[in-house]
Amino acid sequence: MTPGRRLFLALVHHPVLTADGRTVTTSVTNLDVHDLARSARTYSLAGLLIASPIEAQRRIVEHIVDYWNDPIHAARIPGRREALALVGVVCDIEEARERILAEAGQAPIVIGTSARPGPGRTSWHTLRTAIREAPETVRLIIMGTGWGLADEALRACDEILEPIEQASGYNHLSVRSATAVILDRLVGSERPEGAGT
Ligand code: SAM
């Protein structure tokens, strides 16, 4: 059983921050939907929810999914349809919780992410171990947009994962890159020592 089987991912467009700390709603971008869907499929996640409070933005996501569900378009890039089949659309984090409860039969543990360190963060090791020791537990990882999840979004989470941090001190990963790193650290396959050398 793949460790990501009971793990959901959400991309949140509100409430997120601007560079000067205001709380706003960002627009859905086609690239985010595609890339996060491909990552979700790569790691065999249970699903990807795109959250926006703006109906027109939710319609855009539905249009993207419908487009790639069409066999004519799917034939162009066969793997893409399989990835986008994981995509669902919700208004907000609360609706994501409700959708997952209805789908998975269990309310998810909601885990926020942020590039900013802070008190009480859950370590990579703790969460990776918990996923393996309790594979039936349903979890939802929340990814932000803009300049990151606003504090009210982080407060709505049950846990906040420690940030991806490197000695470079440079920390401006895109949500697409950060998602891939987070998934690989949490549910990526173990590589036996010396593998691939
Ligand atoms: N400075 C922002 C922050 O503090 O989250 C990064 C914004 S980035 C464009 C959008 C999203 O990518 C963040 O909300 C978070 O979900 C994820 N992200 C980016 N860098 C990250 C990092 N170093 N550690 C964990 N998540 C990160």
Side-chain angles (χ1 to χ4, degrees):
M1 182 185 73
T2 53
R5 197 173 63 85
R6 301 277 278 171
L7 183 62
F8 289 83
L9 189 63
L11 181 65
V12 166
H13 294 83
H14 179 86
V16 294
L17 299 175
T18 58
D20 57 0
R22 286 177 298 111
T23 297
V24 295
T25 303
T26 53
S27 298
V28 169
T29 64
N30 187 42
L31 191 58
D32 285 351
V33 176
H34 280 260
D35 273 21
L36 267 68
R38 291 160 74 175
S39 291
R41 180 62 192 90
T42 300
Y43 290 91
S44 304
L45 297 198
L48 167 63
L49 295 174
I50 308 295
S52 173
I54 302 171
E55 183 177 0
Q57 294 284 302
R58 296 195 298 274
R59 295 290 89 73
I60 290 172
V61 179
E62 289 168 349
H63 173 73
I64 294 169
V65 174
D66 291 346
Y67 178 92
W68 288 98
N69 258 331
D70 181 329
I72 295 174
H73 304 306
R76 200 156 55 82
I77 313 177
R80 194 62 54 85
R81 182 182 193 181
E82 192 179 342
L84 288 166
L86 287 173
V87 175
V89 179
V90 292
C91 292
D92 52 25
I93 296 172
E94 192 45 45
E95 188 183 351
R97 281 181 195 266
E98 292 161 6
R99 176 77 65 84
I100 293 168
L101 173 58
E103 185 176 319
Q106 187 186 116
I109 297 173
V110 180
I111 300 155
T113 61
S114 171
R116 289 162 285 147
R121 293 316 200 232
T122 298
S123 74
W124 299 103
H125 176 72
T126 299
L127 186 51
R128 184 181 177 93
T129 304
I131 290 171
R132 276 155 180 74
E133 289 181 350
E136 287 310 310
T137 299
V138 176
R139 295 176 176 88
L140 168 62
I141 293 182
I142 305 288
M143 304 303 298
T145 50
W147 285 69
L149 294 167
D151 287 345
E152 63 186 279
L154 292 172
R155 282 197 301 271
C157 297
D158 300 306
E159 303 176 29
I160 302 175
L161 188 58
E162 66 175 317
I164 302 160
E165 279 183 316
Q166 296 302 305
S168 66
Y170 182 88
N171 195 344
H172 300 286
L173 292 169
S174 70
V175 65
R176 297 171 299 282
S177 301
T179 298
V181 170
I182 287 169
L183 293 181
D184 200 64
R185 287 188 182 182
L186 294 180
V187 293
S189 52
E190 309 282 351
R191 284 176 55 76
E193 282 308 309
T197 50

